[in-house]
Amino acid sequence: MSEKEKSLNFLEHIIEEDIRKGFPKKDLRFRFPPEPNGYLHIGHASSICLNFGLGEEYKAPVNLRFDDTNPEKEEQEYVDAIKKDVEWLGYEWDRECYASDYFQQLYDWAVALIKKGKAYVDSQASEAIAAQKGTPTRAGEDSPYRNRSVAENLDLFERMRKGEFRSGEHVLRAKIDMASSNMLMRDPIMYRILHRSHHRTGNDWPIYPMYDWTHGESDYIEQVSHSFCTLEFAMHRELYEWFLDNVYEREKVKPKQREFARRNLSHTIVSKRKLLKLVEEGVVSGWDDPRMPTISGLRRRGYTADSIRNFANTVGIAKRENLVDVSLLEFCIREDLNKKAPRVMAVLDPVKVIITNYPEGQEEWLDAENNPEDEAAGFRKVPFSREIYIEREDFREEANRKFFRLKLGGEVRLKNAYIIKAEDCVKDQEGNITEILCTYDELSKSGSGTEESMRKVKGTLHWVSVPHAIEAEVRIYDRLFTDPEPDGHKDKDFMDFINPDSLHVTRGYLEPSLKDAAPEERYQFQRLGYFCVDKESSADKPVFNKTVGLRDTWAKIQEND
C-alpha cells in the first residue's frame, strides 16, 4: 500500500474503490447542501472543508446547493451569509443551486409515482399518521387511505398543487412498507400543504416537498456522484436509495450516499434552533457575536480562514462521534496568528509611570519589530516620552525574587526602549497606587550597541506613551458555556450553563500605530494575546475583540493525555 493510500480517510477510500471499479473520474461531482435556516457554524465548516477539499483533491466540481424546502424558517439573509462564509473560507463552487429550482421536476416525478401505485394522498391528521407508524418493535398500521385509486390520488394531488385545501388537510405519502424494520420506510411523507411565501418562489407553490424526497433527487438532477452526510442520515440511506431507484435512468450517474461522524466541540452548541434562541433571547448580540460558534462569529472574533481549515483537517473524518476540546481550535488560531499578526503594544489595566530624569516635553520614536516570525514584516516607529502606562499587575511595592517585573528598587527593561528603576510610588486616599516614580538609564536604549544596552535584566515590560496613547474599548471573551457538554444533560436545559462572565468590556490604551486599523485586522498585543478590530470600530471609538490568549493550553492537555 502506498503512502497516499495509508493517509486516505474512509470516504476517500470509497471514492478510490469506485474509481478502481470503473467509475469515470471525470464524472466525480460533490456538493455542500446547507439549509438556509440559520448561519453556518464550526460543524458546517468541517463539512465545507470535506466536500470542497475533495473537489480540490480530485479536480472535480463542487455545487453549493441550498436545500430550501421549508419557507417557515428560511430567509434570503441566511443564503447571503452562507455564500459569504464559503467564499471567506477560500472555496469556489461550480454551480449555485437551489432545491426550489427543482420543484416542478419533483412534482412531475411524484405524479409518476402515483401513476405507478407507489404514492398516495393521505387525508388524516398528523397525529393519526404518527400513531399508525408503530414502534421499532411493532409494525405500523396501514392508513385507511392507502388504497385510494390512482385516479383519486392524481385528482387530489393536483388540487393540492392548485391550493384548494387548507394547510395540513392532506399529505402525499410514498407507498413502501408499513412493517419495515426501518421506520423511515413506513410510508414517509413526500409533500405537505403549506400556504407560506417562499423566499425565491413566492406564492407559486402551496405544497412543499419534504427533505428526504428532495435531497436525493436534487443530487440526481445535479449528477452528484458522492453525497456525504453526517451520521444521523445513516438510517435515511435506504429511503434515499428507494426514491432514486424510482427515477433513475441507467445512462446517468446514480448518487451514492455515505455518512461520517460529527465532530462536537466542547463548551459549545451547534443546533441552529438553539443558536437562534440565544439570539432571540438576547444572550448574544446576534448570529455573528464573537462568542458564537458560527463562522461569522469566529471571523468577527479574529479567527482566520486558514486556522479553521487547519482545524477541520486536524480533526479529520471518522465514523464515530466524539467531543473535540475547544482548546484545539484555539491552538490552530494561535499557531496561525503567531506567523501572521503584527506585534503591537497595548495596556489594558494601566498605571502611570513617570520617568523623573527624562526631560519634560521630550519625545523620541523608537524602532520596534513587527513580527519576529516574519522577516519581511519589517519595523515600525513607536513614541517614547516621560510618562508611560504599564500594566498594573506588572508592579509591586514588595515582591520575592521570583517576581521578575517591576518592584521598588528593582529594574526592568521597557520593550524596544530603556532600562528603568522604580524609586517610589504615589497612592490615593484608599491606598491605591496612582503613579510609579522611576529613573531611566539613558545609555541603555535597545539596539544602540552601548555596553549599558547589553546589560541583562530579568524582566521586560510592554508599555504605551501616555501623550500618544489611543484609548479603545476592548472586549475580553470567555467561553459562552461553563460546561463542556451544555447540550448533553437530560435533566437540564443548555441555557442553565450560560457563562455570566463570557464578556468583559474594558478600556485600554494602545500605541498610535493602531489609529487607522480596519475591521478584521488582527494583532498580537504583546504579552496579552491576539486581538481583532471589531466591525463596530471607528476612528473616534476603536473597538478590539480578544481572539485568544498567548498561552498554549492545548499542548498541556495533550501532555496530560
Side-chain angles (χ1 to χ4, degrees), residues 145-286:
Y145 301 100
R146 196 172 196 266
N147 294 315
R148 269 174 164 156
S149 69
V150 168
E152 186 179 3
N153 283 318
L154 287 173
D155 175 64
L156 285 169
F157 191 49
E158 183 179 355
R159 291 169 64 194
M160 288 169 62
R161 167 69 182 92
K162 290 179 178 178
E164 294 183 15
F165 302 113
R166 299 184 307 274
S167 293
E169 193 169 350
H170 303 285
V171 294
L172 182 72
R173 296 176 70 178
K175 187 187 287 188
I176 307 178
D177 181 5
M178 290 301 292
S180 173
S181 60
N182 183 348
M183 291 185 65
L184 294 171
M185 300 296 286
R186 296 180 186 178
D187 292 8
I189 296 172
M190 295 173 63
Y191 277 90
R192 78 281 202 201
I193 300 171
L194 191 61
H195 293 282
R196 292 292 295 267
S197 179
H198 187 278
H199 69 99
R200 296 188 74 248
T201 62
N203 295 307
D204 291 350
W205 290 87
I207 59 173
Y208 288 93
M210 301 299 285
Y211 181 86
D212 277 327
W213 168 237
T214 309
H215 188 82
E217 313 316 276
S218 298
D219 285 342
Y220 178 59
I221 291 169
E222 296 170 19
Q223 288 292 273
V224 169
S225 61
H226 294 79
S227 181
F228 295 127
C229 307
T230 45
L231 275 182
E232 66 264 30
F233 291 99
M235 292 295 290
H236 296 249
R237 192 200 298 181
E238 186 178 1
L239 181 56
Y240 181 96
E241 297 283 349
W242 190 91
F243 280 140
L244 281 180
D245 286 341
N246 280 283
V247 302
Y248 173 60
E249 298 174 10
R250 289 189 175 276
E251 67 273 12
K252 293 187 176 180
V253 171
K254 183 181 178 183
K256 173 183 283 191
Q257 176 181 307
R258 291 296 182 265
E259 305 80 27
F260 62 95
R262 288 180 184 271
R263 286 297 200 244
N264 298 313
L265 197 63
S266 74
H267 300 87
T268 302
I269 58 166
V270 291
S271 160
K272 287 182 185 175
R273 177 177 59 83
K274 292 176 180 177
L275 292 175
L276 179 60
K277 185 176 182 180
L278 294 174
V279 174
E280 290 178 337
E281 296 196 7
V283 175
V284 295
S285 60

Side-chain angles (χ1 to χ4, degrees), residues 350-378:
V351 62
K352 184 183 287 188
V353 171
I354 299 176
I355 304 171
T356 56
N357 63 333
Y358 194 88
E360 289 191 41
Q362 179 173 304
E363 66 177 48
E364 55 185 310
W365 292 76
L366 308 174
D367 289 325
E369 192 174 18
N370 286 326
N371 189 338
E373 301 292 325
D374 180 5
E375 291 183 5

Side-chain angles (χ1 to χ4, degrees), residues 286-314:
W287 284 97
D288 68 345
D289 187 294
R291 292 165 290 180
M292 290 280 271
T294 55
I295 295 174
S296 56
L298 291 167
R299 177 169 60 243
R300 185 174 174 187
R301 185 158 175 171
Y303 278 77
T304 62
D306 285 345
S307 69
I308 294 175
R309 288 174 67 155
N310 185 40
F311 171 74
N313 292 333
T314 302

Side-chain angles (χ1 to χ4, degrees), residues 525-539:
F525 288 2
Q526 289 180 314
R527 298 179 63 233
L528 298 177
Y530 293 98
F531 291 77
C532 174
V533 185
D534 188 72
K535 69 176 185 178
E536 296 177 351
S537 186
S538 66

Side-chain angles (χ1 to χ4, degrees), residues 79-94:
V79 171
D80 296 339
I82 288 168
K83 289 166 62 176
K84 179 179 179 180
D85 287 345
V86 175
E87 288 178 327
W88 178 75
L89 283 171
Y91 295 113
E92 294 182 15
W93 52 86
D94 179 58

Side-chain angles (χ1 to χ4, degrees), residues 213-496:
W213 168 237
T214 309
H215 188 82
E217 313 316 276
S218 298
D219 285 342
Y220 178 59
I221 291 169
E222 296 170 19
Q223 288 292 273
V224 169
S225 61
H226 294 79
S227 181
F228 295 127
C229 307
T230 45
L231 275 182
E232 66 264 30
F233 291 99
M235 292 295 290
H236 296 249
R237 192 200 298 181
E238 186 178 1
L239 181 56
Y240 181 96
E241 297 283 349
W242 190 91
F243 280 140
L244 281 180
D245 286 341
N246 280 283
V247 302
Y248 173 60
E249 298 174 10
R250 289 189 175 276
E251 67 273 12
K252 293 187 176 180
V253 171
K254 183 181 178 183
K256 173 183 283 191
Q257 176 181 307
R258 291 296 182 265
E259 305 80 27
F260 62 95
R262 288 180 184 271
R263 286 297 200 244
N264 298 313
L265 197 63
S266 74
H267 300 87
T268 302
I269 58 166
V270 291
S271 160
K272 287 182 185 175
R273 177 177 59 83
K274 292 176 180 177
L275 292 175
L276 179 60
K277 185 176 182 180
L278 294 174
V279 174
E280 290 178 337
E281 296 196 7
V283 175
V284 295
S285 60
W287 284 97
D288 68 345
D289 187 294
R291 292 165 290 180
M292 290 280 271
T294 55
I295 295 174
S296 56
L298 291 167
R299 177 169 60 243
R300 185 174 174 187
R301 185 158 175 171
Y303 278 77
T304 62
D306 285 345
S307 69
I308 294 175
R309 288 174 67 155
N310 185 40
F311 171 74
N313 292 333
T314 302
V315 169
I317 300 300
K319 296 182 180 181
R320 293 183 180 179
E321 290 192 8
N322 70 351
L323 187 69
V324 178
D325 197 289
V326 70
S327 297
L328 175 58
L329 180 61
E330 294 169 349
F331 168 82
C332 290
I333 184 59
R334 188 182 293 109
E335 184 179 56
D336 192 41
L337 291 181
N338 182 52
K339 300 170 187 173
K340 299 175 180 177
R343 274 54 167 166
V344 296
M345 292 193 290
V347 175
L348 303 187
D349 184 18
V351 62
K352 184 183 287 188
V353 171
I354 299 176
I355 304 171
T356 56
N357 63 333
Y358 194 88
E360 289 191 41
Q362 179 173 304
E363 66 177 48
E364 55 185 310
W365 292 76
L366 308 174
D367 289 325
E369 192 174 18
N370 286 326
N371 189 338
E373 301 292 325
D374 180 5
E375 291 183 5
F379 290 79
R380 69 190 185 287
K381 294 287 188 180
V382 292
F384 185 78
S385 65
R386 177 184 170 89
E387 295 186 358
I388 61 172
Y389 290 126
I390 65 169
E391 296 288 347
R392 186 168 294 276
E393 68 173 18
D394 283 345
F395 173 74
R396 292 182 189 172
E397 288 184 81
E398 296 180 6
N400 60 34
R401 286 187 292 181
K402 292 183 178 179
F403 184 76
F404 297 131
R405 286 167 279 176
L406 190 61
K407 56 190 173 184
L408 286 182
E411 290 184 318
V412 294
R413 174 170 289 284
L414 297 175
K415 181 73 174 175
N416 307 306
Y418 298 93
I419 293 173
I420 61 171
K421 181 178 180 180
E423 308 287 357
D424 200 358
C425 60
V426 179
K427 299 179 182 179
D428 62 18
Q429 290 182 340
E430 285 75 39
N432 300 309
I433 296 171
T434 58
E435 293 177 350
I436 305 165
L437 306 179
C438 295
T439 55
Y440 86 118
D441 181 347
E442 63 178 322
L443 298 177
S444 65
K445 185 163 78 171
S446 296
S448 63
T450 64
E451 183 178 340
E452 290 81 357
S453 69
M454 306 289 189
R455 188 157 60 87
K456 301 294 182 184
V457 291
K458 288 190 174 179
T460 300
L461 305 185
H462 64 281
W463 52 276
V464 174
S465 168
V466 171
H468 302 89
I470 297 171
E471 189 174 354
E473 178 178 305
V474 181
R475 300 169 182 174
I476 310 295
Y477 296 99
D478 199 353
R479 291 164 188 179
L480 187 56
F481 295 97
T482 57
D483 190 274
E485 297 185 72
D487 212 12
H489 302 265
K490 292 182 180 179
D491 57 337
K492 290 187 177 181
D493 186 78
F494 77 100
M495 297 287 280
D496 294 339

Side-chain angles (χ1 to χ4, degrees), residues 15-27:
I15 297 169
E16 291 293 329
E17 182 64 18
D18 288 341
I19 293 171
R20 279 195 292 270
K21 288 180 178 178
F23 185 87
K25 200 169 182 180
K26 66 178 180 59
D27 289 340

